Amino acid sequence: MKKYNHRTIEKKWQKVWTEKNLYRTNLKSRRKKYYCLVEFPYPSGEGLHVGHIRSYTALDVIARKRRAEGFEVLYPMGWDAFGLPTENYAIKTGQPPAVITKRNVNRYRKQLQELGFSFDWSREINTADPNYYGLTQWLFLQLFKAGLAYKAKMPINWCPKDKIGLANEEVVAGCCERCGTPVEQREKDQWLLAITKYADQLDRDLDLVDYPPPVKIQQRNWIGRAEGAKVKFGNIEVFTTRPETIFGATFIARHGAADRFTGEYAINPANQEKIPVWEAEYVMEGVGTGAIMGVPTHDERDRAFAEKYNLPIREAPLADEILLKKIGARPMTTYKLHDWIFSRQRYWGEPIPLVFCEKHNWVPVSNKDLPVKLPPLKKYAPTDTGESPLASIESWVKTKCPLCGGPARRETDTMPNWAGSSWYYLAYLIKNLKTNTYNLKAKSLFKHWLPVDWYNGGLEHTTLHLLYSRFWHKALYDLKLVPTKEPYGKRTSHGLVLAANGEKMSKSRGNVVNPDELIRRFGADALRLYEMFMGPFDQAIGWKENGLVGARRFLDRVWRLAVSSKFKVQSSKLNSDLQFLVQQTIKKVTDDIEQMKFNTAISALMILLNHFEKTPAIPLAVAKTFLKLLSPFAPHLAEEFWVKLSEKKSIHLAPWPHLIKTEPRWAAMVKIVVQINGKVRDILEAPAGLTEEKIKNLALGKEKIQLWLKGKNIQRTIIVPNRLINIVLDQ
RNA sequence: GCCGGAGUGGUGAAAUGGCAGACACGCUAGCUUUAGGAGCUAGUGAGCGCAAGCUCGUGGAGGUUCAAGUCCUCUCUCCGGCACCA
């Protein structure tokens, strides 16, 4: 072959890998396990985004490295298939959401397979599959039975033009995302999940996991733990984080639609002073005890309020612990976190598996009737009442109470799109999602495979999916359904891939990059390589096609080198410079992959290739090392040449290269920087490990240095062995 | 306002307190009959200089240090998150 034909190579190896089940995980393997997870995509009509590829390639690199290190690796993929765009498309076209989803999933799967990811496709899941959502419903019922799901009147976002209830995500700047009409609030009975019961654990257990500090901070801020005290001012109880400022309290305030004096007074227990009770806009409902003590000298908002309404402002001594105890101040902790509204008045989601019976109130559907399947519809548009379209199918709504057999009506709301993704990392471990597995028989596998070792996903999910699934997991832990307190041991995040001008890629802006076309023109290996090389992994970055051209150029050069005669040399004699560089490269690539510094790992491979091109012969062992280090990034091309080096097994089954541990003779010479007053004046080449005295003599012996020293006195010299000497002169 | 993160060439960026700009992209010049978005060689932070070389240079102002992109203080700008949470 004369030219690097990526299409032939990539197709060929993808077929071979699939036929040989190369990436099939043996969940019962005795080897050490490693569970790599990436956020599974929502199969939208737009197809795969180059941002998905960034995340999936990164963990593909990690997964491949772990396999080479001897781990049994699970790297699964699936579809987060319930969601609004699909439903909206169904409303517009009349096509059933299930049909649309199937088409989109097929497209996504094909795209992912063409990228050569090492997913175990035998474990593919789909949250909209009845077998899957049957378990989602069953798990919901476990939460319900544990008292974690309840119904309450809550405001929903209502678009008066579309006559439709909107999810928070669909409200943009107070207006309907679809038509731009200002959104109204309507009261509706909604299911809520009591995530606040886990607020404390969700905060505290962040200490148990390896998340990037900003992610932990953002979750902690969202949970908003605040420690303080509640104190009784007569029959009004206030919450404060600064109880010691109680002598400065000159009024009491609770929430009101407008600022006004209530006419009531309360007694400050610290000094028996009679102080007025106000209603104030700035006091929030449902926080703490619902009332605050106004201390104008210690709180800016209290001060502003006092100034506005001519309330007293006075400095006062701080109260001590003993006094606070005496007046009955009791410790209290509050959280900003609210319970999770879990109802959606929508069709394309998991039906909430509860029925309402006059005698028994809300009753869970029995296991044998799970899953509660979504009934087929003619029209997917919501009804005039703002209820789910399911409410319009009277024959479906009418049912019997599982307890008494009396007449009952089904809940017609569905679950939010966060439901299926709250437990999907467990689903990959369940062999068969059929309806008879509702006892979660996979427990022994859970014990072996949990927690997920490394989970990569978007920062935008920090306070949504990531928090929700931690909550579900903790609830399931308390129900003894999972063996660990936390679902994910390590979490990392990729930066967004933006359009070239730094804008977000979107269909409406028309700046979306199509991966299919890129794979066709440049190849999957080049695309993968570029996405890893484009910049620091955790940083947002603009798409530059020229960068992709550069990645392709690198692979072209690998190709030319590998088909040249100098790649096949069976030499036992190693050039010491080359050997040194190879060792350096192994170290750099190995370390950098662990830290997700893929850009510098690849640059190390580029440096090695540059060196190869200037080297007359590349020994077989070095060639193999190079291909192995390249293989996580460009799996197809690496495999192609691995086989040409008469290897019988796949490169992806070969062990990771190791460093030579003995003191290398090829590192005998080092470059030592010679500075004068901190400025570089010369560079010495010297044997490694010289004494300070010898380095100094060598430096002082250099002509250039002597010129600088003329007529000056050496005040001191600083020597860093093998690196640097700084000669400090009198001024 | 509060909480995070980031400011380095024309661009993406590198740099355990120890040679700032590795590795790429782009550009310039040259070579190569060069069907291609090709390849090879050299150059490419700014200023001065024929050159050797010198000076300046990591948003800004100070500081610590023999030595600062890196540590400390203050400050400006941009990006992300939160929104009166007592």
Side-chain angles (χ1 to χ4, degrees), chain A residues 400-654:
Chain A
K400 283 177 182 161
C401 171
L403 287 181
C404 62
R409 294 181 71 78
R410 290 185 189 279
E411 172 59 63
T412 59
D413 283 356
T414 54
M415 299 188 200
N417 58 324
W418 311 106
S421 60
S422 288
W423 68 281
Y424 78 114
Y425 55 94
L426 299 175
Y428 289 129
L429 298 170
I430 299 172
K431 194 177 176 195
N432 186 337
L433 289 172
K434 285 213 180 114
T435 50
N436 59 5
T437 58
Y438 290 135
N439 49 10
L440 287 198
K441 280 221 172 91
K443 271 185 209 162
S444 69
L445 286 179
F446 287 180
K447 199 161 190 179
H448 182 64
W449 281 91
L450 294 177
V452 171
D453 292 282
W454 193 327
Y455 187 23
N456 189 74
L459 274 175
E460 70 274 20
H461 291 134
T462 299
T463 55
L464 295 167
H465 157 68
L466 190 62
L467 194 65
Y468 294 151
S469 63
R470 287 184 64 221
F471 158 56
W472 270 51
H473 191 90
K474 285 183 176 305
L476 298 182
Y477 174 77
D478 286 346
L479 292 167
K480 305 213 163 28
L481 291 171
V482 294
T484 59
K485 284 192 169 179
E486 286 286 336
Y488 317 116
K490 179 187 174 91
R491 166 82 177 187
T492 52
S493 285
H494 55 279
L496 291 176
V497 179
L498 306 165
N501 59 3
E503 282 183 348
K504 228 174 160 168
M505 279 188 195
S506 71
K507 215 167 145 190
S508 56
R509 288 198 182 91
N511 56 9
V512 177
V513 176
N514 179 350
D516 294 332
E517 197 199 330
L518 299 174
I519 293 168
R520 197 167 42 75
R521 286 161 65 207
F522 299 97
D525 281 343
L527 180 53
R528 294 168 57 114
L529 192 77
Y530 169 55
E531 294 229 11
M532 292 299 94
F533 184 66
M534 65 198 309
F537 180 68
D538 56 357
Q539 248 171 64
I541 197 154
W543 182 265
K544 301 260 160 49
E545 192 163 292
N546 268 332
L548 179 52
V549 171
R552 169 61 195 226
R553 201 173 289 161
F554 170 75
L555 295 179
D556 278 330
R557 284 165 58 205
V558 171
W559 173 274
R560 280 199 297 277
L561 177 86
V563 296
S564 75
S565 56
K566 71 184 188 182
F567 204 61
K568 298 170 185 164
V569 176
Q570 293 265 4
S571 160
S572 57
K573 183 138 169 95
L574 297 184
N575 169 306
S576 69
D577 278 358
L578 181 61
Q579 182 69 321
F580 181 55
L581 187 61
V582 169
Q583 291 293 306
Q584 254 186 344
T585 309
I586 294 172
K587 179 149 179 31
K588 183 85 179 144
V589 174
T590 304
D591 294 349
D592 283 0
I593 287 176
E594 290 307 314
Q595 295 171 63
M596 300 191 117
K597 290 162 78 174
F598 303 112
N599 52 338
T600 49
I602 291 166
S603 108
L605 291 171
M606 288 171 166
I607 291 169
L608 188 56
L609 178 69
N610 290 346
H611 196 87
F612 283 167
E613 287 175 340
K614 291 173 189 139
T615 305
I618 294 140
L620 187 64
V622 171
K624 282 188 184 173
T625 299
F626 176 74
L627 288 180
K628 184 64 198 181
L629 293 176
L630 178 66
S631 68
F633 301 101
H636 309 87
L637 191 63
E639 184 82 297
E640 178 76 11
F641 288 111
W642 186 255
V643 169
K644 294 221 164 91
L645 297 175
S646 358
E647 286 288 338
K648 298 222 166 56
K649 277 191 174 171
S650 166
I651 191 170
H652 304 297
L653 298 173

Side-chain angles (χ1 to χ4, degrees), chain A residues 208-229:
Chain A
L208 306 178
V209 293
D210 177 12
Y211 289 7
V215 170
K216 286 192 186 184
I217 290 166
Q218 207 184 314
Q219 285 209 347
R220 285 214 157 99
N221 288 347
W222 186 259
I223 293 164
R225 182 189 170 90
E227 285 186 45

